[in-house]
Amino acid sequence: MVNQEVMQEYANAIQNLKKQCGDAGLSEEEFRRMYFRSLKTLETAERPEVNTPRRFVTKFRVLLVGIIIGVYIVLNHKTIYSSIVCNLQEYIYPGLKLLRKISIPLISLFPSLTDFYHETCLIQNPYFAVVDMDCWPCSTVSNIREVNDPIPVSQQQTAPFIYETEQQVINMEALKKMYLRNRDTFDKESPKILTNNKYHSSPKDLFIDRPIEDKSFYVWKFNNMNVAKVLRQVIPRPKVVPKFGQSTERFIIVDTSHQKFNIPDTECSFSFLLALSGSREINLVPAEECKHQCKSLKVELKETYLLWYNWWYWRPVVQNSMGNHTFIAHVGSYC
């Protein structure tokens, strides 16, 4: 009964609206189109309310499936990881090759990004420590011995030693001539020199614009084959380093400050420090993991002498100097 009354009121309202539209000059066909258009508007407006419960149920199902998958992955992560690694082995190289091609436009826009191509580690962790490290190779060493006729070392040789090389003395003037002869190569391949462990300068700042009374510490890093070939012409491979296995990464250290500084860690653990000009006292400090079992060792590194050590157990520190001579050294490593 109530529904019939509502429908009757609705019909009367439509008749009144039709009469008013007719009085306003609207034809019956125009009223009909306007009426059905209004019904479509009401249908569209009411549809979200009808679908709201269905959408809620769909979202709940998706969330529930996601939780189940997450729990399954956590409980079986080792099996899933092993399966993925085994199945993706064949696609690693093609994938990296594709990624390299995709990155070519980005490299073309920002060429400086290629400086990081040869870096094995962009950021070092100063708090890294090896748990339960075996320190017996350094615990039995009490001094740094001098070798008269060194031979290429094996990977079992962990005890540090020094010997006099046949290296020609390379002072600042000789270093400058080497740079000027190969300026294009150095400026392109190794354009940055770490100065005083604070900021980077250019080779031009070191060899051309450097003040006469400069008191600074420079670390010039090289990590590519083109520069390695240039350095090999003036700094031949030391006879203690095997013919194959020398790292491409090298350092040239120039110290005019006569202050204490640390020798940078190399890519390979078997390292050497070659005095190209001047002399300094070197303190081999045991690694943090072995400082309770191994001794700190000291040696005077004379001009053209080479210090062979394993930075896995010792970290070389160059001590203060009372002299006025510039200390120039070459740092390399062997794997």
Side-chain angles (χ1 to χ4, degrees):
M1 189 67 181
V2 176
N3 291 337
Q4 291 180 356
E5 293 178 356
V6 172
M7 292 298 298
Q8 186 63 40
E9 290 180 1
Y10 177 73
N12 293 336
I14 294 298
Q15 290 294 332
N16 293 333
L17 180 61
K18 181 178 181 181
K19 183 176 181 304
Q20 292 176 4
C21 291
D23 296 341
L26 213 66
S27 67
E28 185 173 349
E29 183 63 24
E30 291 174 338
F31 174 78
R32 182 173 176 274
R33 287 198 301 268
M34 182 184 67
Y35 173 70
F36 284 109
R37 193 181 304 120
S38 65
L39 291 180
K40 290 182 180 180
T41 304
L42 291 175
E43 181 181 358
T44 304
E46 292 177 356
R47 189 173 299 166
E49 296 181 2
V50 175
N51 293 337
T52 298
R54 185 178 302 172
R55 290 183 179 180
F56 176 78
V57 172
T58 302
K59 290 181 179 180
F60 176 77
R61 289 176 178 175
V62 172
L63 180 61
L64 182 61
V65 171
I67 293 175
I68 294 174
I69 294 175
V71 172
Y72 177 80
I73 292 175
V74 171
L75 296 177
N76 301 275
H77 66 280
K78 292 184 178 180
T79 305
I80 295 175
Y81 174 78
S82 301
S83 177
I84 292 175
V85 170
C86 292
N87 293 326
L88 289 182
Q89 288 293 331
E90 298 179 359
Y91 302 99
I92 290 177
Y93 179 76
L96 292 176
K97 186 177 181 180
L98 177 62
L99 179 62
R100 184 178 181 180
K101 290 183 177 180
I102 294 175
S103 64
I104 288 177
L106 179 64
I107 296 297
S108 301
L109 292 175
F110 305 99
S112 60
L113 293 177
T114 56
D115 293 345
F116 303 108
Y117 180 78
H118 297 281
E119 295 293 338
T120 56
C121 182
L122 298 180
I123 300 177
Q124 291 186 345
N125 182 5
Y127 303 104
F128 172 77
V130 180
V131 180
D132 297 331
M133 180 174 170
D134 187 4
C135 299
W136 74 263
C138 66
S139 63
T140 58
V141 178
S142 58
N143 58 9
I144 301 175
R145 61 191 179 93
E146 182 173 350
V147 179
N148 294 324
D149 187 18
I151 59 175
V153 298
S154 63
Q155 293 193 4
Q156 285 73 35
Q157 179 64 46
T158 57
F161 61 89
I162 63 171
Y163 74 95
E164 185 177 8
T165 68
E166 298 176 356
Q167 172 67 46
Q168 298 294 321
V169 175
I170 300 179
N171 54 23
M172 281 298 296
E173 189 62 29
L175 208 60
K176 179 179 178 180
K177 290 180 180 178
M178 181 192 69
Y179 164 69
L180 294 177
R181 285 196 307 267
N182 306 275
R183 186 168 183 173
D184 293 340
T185 301
F186 283 116
D187 288 346
K188 180 181 179 180
E189 304 287 352
S190 302
K192 297 179 181 180
I193 299 179
L194 182 61
T195 305
N196 295 328
N197 292 323
K198 294 180 180 179
Y199 56 91
H200 286 91
S201 58
S202 66
K204 180 176 178 292
D205 296 331
L206 174 60
F207 297 110
I208 299 176
D209 299 333
R210 184 174 62 92
I212 298 178
E213 299 298 329
D214 176 54
K215 300 294 182 183
S216 300
F217 168 62
Y218 302 93
V219 177
W220 196 5
K221 182 178 180 179
F222 314 100
N223 203 7
N224 52 71
M225 291 301 299
N226 293 330
V227 175
K229 292 177 181 178
V230 174
L231 291 178
R232 183 66 63 86
Q233 297 174 6
V234 295
I235 309 175
R237 175 178 56 86
K239 63 171 62 177
V240 73
V241 178
K243 187 175 182 180
F244 301 101
Q246 183 175 358
S247 172
T248 306
E249 179 193 64
R250 293 106 187 274
F251 298 88
I252 292 292
I253 295 175
V254 178
D255 176 44
T256 60
S257 66
H258 310 289
Q259 300 297 318
K260 180 190 294 186
F261 62 88
N262 296 321
I263 298 297
D265 294 339
T266 55
E267 180 180 9
C268 303
S269 59
F270 294 93
S271 308
F272 62 87
L273 174 63
L274 174 61
L276 301 176
S277 177
S279 61
R280 286 288 193 277
E281 185 180 79
I282 310 298
N283 185 18
L284 290 183
V285 181
E288 188 68 23
E289 298 88 341
C290 298
K291 64 180 181 179
H292 299 298
Q293 301 182 41
C294 304
K295 297 179 180 179
S296 179
L297 309 175
K298 287 187 179 182
V299 65
E300 182 182 1
L301 188 64
K302 301 177 183 178
E303 199 170 64
T304 71
Y305 272 71
L306 181 143
L307 170 63
W308 178 269
Y309 64 95
N310 188 331
W311 71 260
W312 193 253
Y313 302 104
W314 287 281
R315 307 297 168 85
V317 179
V318 179
Q319 300 301 307
N320 297 334
S321 173
M322 299 301 294
N324 295 321
H325 297 288
T326 299
F327 179 65
I328 302 177
H330 175 236
V331 181
S333 62
Y334 162 77
C335 295

